[in-house]
Amino acid sequence: MSLAVLYSRALAGIQAPLVTVETHIANGLPSFTIVGLPDTEVKESKDRVRAALQNAQFKIPAQRITVNLAPADLPKESGRFDLPIALGILAATGQIPGDKLDQYEWAGELALTGELRPIHGALAMTYNASQSGRSFVLPQQNAAEAALVHNATIYAAKSLLQVCAHLSGRESLPVYQNTLENDKDSSSSAYPDLDEVKGQAHAKRALEIAAAGDHSLLMIGPPGTGKSMLAARFPGILPPMTEAEALESAAIQSLSQGSFNIANWKKRPFRSPHHTASGIALVGGGSHPRPGEISLAMHGVLFLDELAEFDRKVLEVLREPLESGKITISRAARQAEFPAQFQLIGAMNP
């Protein structure tokens, strides 16, 4: 066959829309073209894919290779499309069987040696893939994170050769599934204990009322009276996270620069940005919008120490998410919406 079709996922805020990776091999002068609104990282994948295929002892056709990432109007970024592009070339040239490709969704960045490197946003992509009924093939480093999604079938791969062996039926990829350890509620020992604070009965009572009623709280007092210590212990008296809350919080954290830490599953986030933080740091942004401190505190606590030292414009950006529970980031090329349901704790000197 000269045409192969595979499925992957893009990222648009917390959503992961489906991307169809179409690979076509045609007669003509040797070339490698990627179309479908690719970013620089995606355009560079042709060099990574070429080197990975050569080092894995596969043949690269001396023909015209065209890769289309559909839909064409959706921006594509990061190296997660390396794996489906490489498999599309192999399937289109008959080097691997292509009859099972539509049963999976694929994501993974290729090293020049053919090894698979981790990607960000694996949890958000897996959640959307599970709704489509297809299995997801991911780098091994992302498998445990992705397996937090119930009813999702996750295949963990170390290299391109291992994936090809799975498709050829020579060696099956290991399956990751949600385990009982992932479902255990975070115990109170995971947080600093409020019982460690001696005295301050009035402040403790205020924290308990704020936790019970989902209220924001402002603590005013001279330095050294324990405002920061009390705020750090506030997540420990909040109710345990539900499955839906934990999944939503973890999905947002997986979109940040680092992937989600499994040790923090069902643990309410506690974010404490410095008072010199900008409005964009709180809201999020970038050419490809990423969540800011407001969204990273989803279902947790946003602690603003030295509240009076924050710039007024920075404090003003809190108004909309506190009222609506979401934040919309608009850029020239795209728009992204992130949830922002958190409890605000402020502290300042008299």
Side-chain angles (χ1 to χ4, degrees), residues 32-318:
F32 195 154
T33 306
I34 300 177
V35 297
L37 209 58
D39 196 8
T40 303
E41 297 165 311
V42 182
K43 291 178 181 178
E44 291 173 345
S45 68
K46 59 186 178 181
D47 297 314
R48 292 191 297 270
V49 167
R50 187 186 300 274
L53 290 176
Q54 288 177 339
N55 288 321
Q57 306 301 314
F58 288 110
K59 294 180 181 179
I60 300 177
Q63 295 172 286
R64 183 178 180 85
I65 304 173
T66 304
V67 177
N68 179 38
L69 305 177
D73 59 345
L74 178 68
K76 321 296 189 309
E77 48 88 22
S78 94
R80 74 176 69 92
F81 300 106
D82 290 2
L83 179 59
I85 290 174
L87 293 175
I89 294 174
L90 296 177
T93 55
Q95 299 182 67
I96 61 172
D99 54 337
K100 298 180 181 178
L101 293 177
D102 58 351
Q103 301 175 13
Y104 304 92
E105 293 186 12
W106 315 84
E109 180 182 335
L110 284 173
L112 300 186
T113 60
E115 301 293 317
L116 285 176
R117 288 177 172 157
I119 57 175
H120 71 271
L123 196 58
M125 290 189 290
T126 305
Y127 177 75
N128 287 268
S130 65
Q131 306 301 309
S132 68
R134 285 185 285 265
S135 304
F136 212 155
V137 180
L138 290 166
Q140 188 178 40
Q141 296 94 322
N142 295 115
E145 169 193 342
L148 295 173
V149 180
H150 275 295
N151 302 321
T153 304
I154 309 299
Y155 289 94
K158 293 181 180 179
S159 65
L160 176 62
L161 280 174
Q162 196 177 20
V163 175
C164 294
H166 175 79
L167 291 173
S168 301
R170 297 193 306 270
E171 179 185 350
S172 296
L173 290 172
V175 179
Y176 273 72
Q177 291 182 335
N178 205 347
T179 61
L180 292 176
E181 285 76 16
N182 291 333
D183 283 336
K184 291 190 301 185
D185 291 336
S186 296
S187 62
S188 58
S189 60
Y191 306 97
D193 195 344
L194 188 63
D195 192 49
E196 297 171 348
V197 181
K198 306 303 178 185
Q200 297 287 13
H202 184 67
K204 287 182 181 179
R205 177 63 175 162
L207 288 175
E208 292 168 357
I209 294 173
D214 195 22
H215 304 301
S216 298
L217 180 67
L218 175 62
M219 293 183 287
I220 304 177
T225 52
K227 300 186 297 295
S228 300
M229 182 172 62
L230 285 163
R233 282 150 179 79
F234 183 69
I237 61 174
L238 292 175
M241 297 183 80
T242 64
E243 186 76 24
E245 289 176 343
L247 190 60
E248 192 171 23
S249 176
I252 294 175
Q253 293 179 52
S254 76
L255 297 175
S256 61
Q257 201 70 348
S259 59
F260 176 68
N261 186 356
I262 304 299
N264 294 330
W265 175 244
K266 287 196 173 181
K267 183 177 179 181
R268 293 191 180 273
F270 180 83
R271 308 292 298 189
S272 180
H274 193 260
H275 64 264
T276 57
S278 65
I280 294 178
L282 261 66
V283 171
S287 56
H288 299 285
R290 296 281 182 87
E293 294 290 337
I294 288 175
S295 295
L296 292 173
M298 181 68 178
H299 297 307
V301 178
L302 179 65
F303 176 51
L304 301 183
D305 198 8
E306 304 294 346
L307 186 67
E309 300 299 326
F310 279 83
D311 188 88
R312 178 174 178 174
K313 293 181 179 179
V314 175
L315 296 179
E316 286 293 332
V317 304
L318 292 168

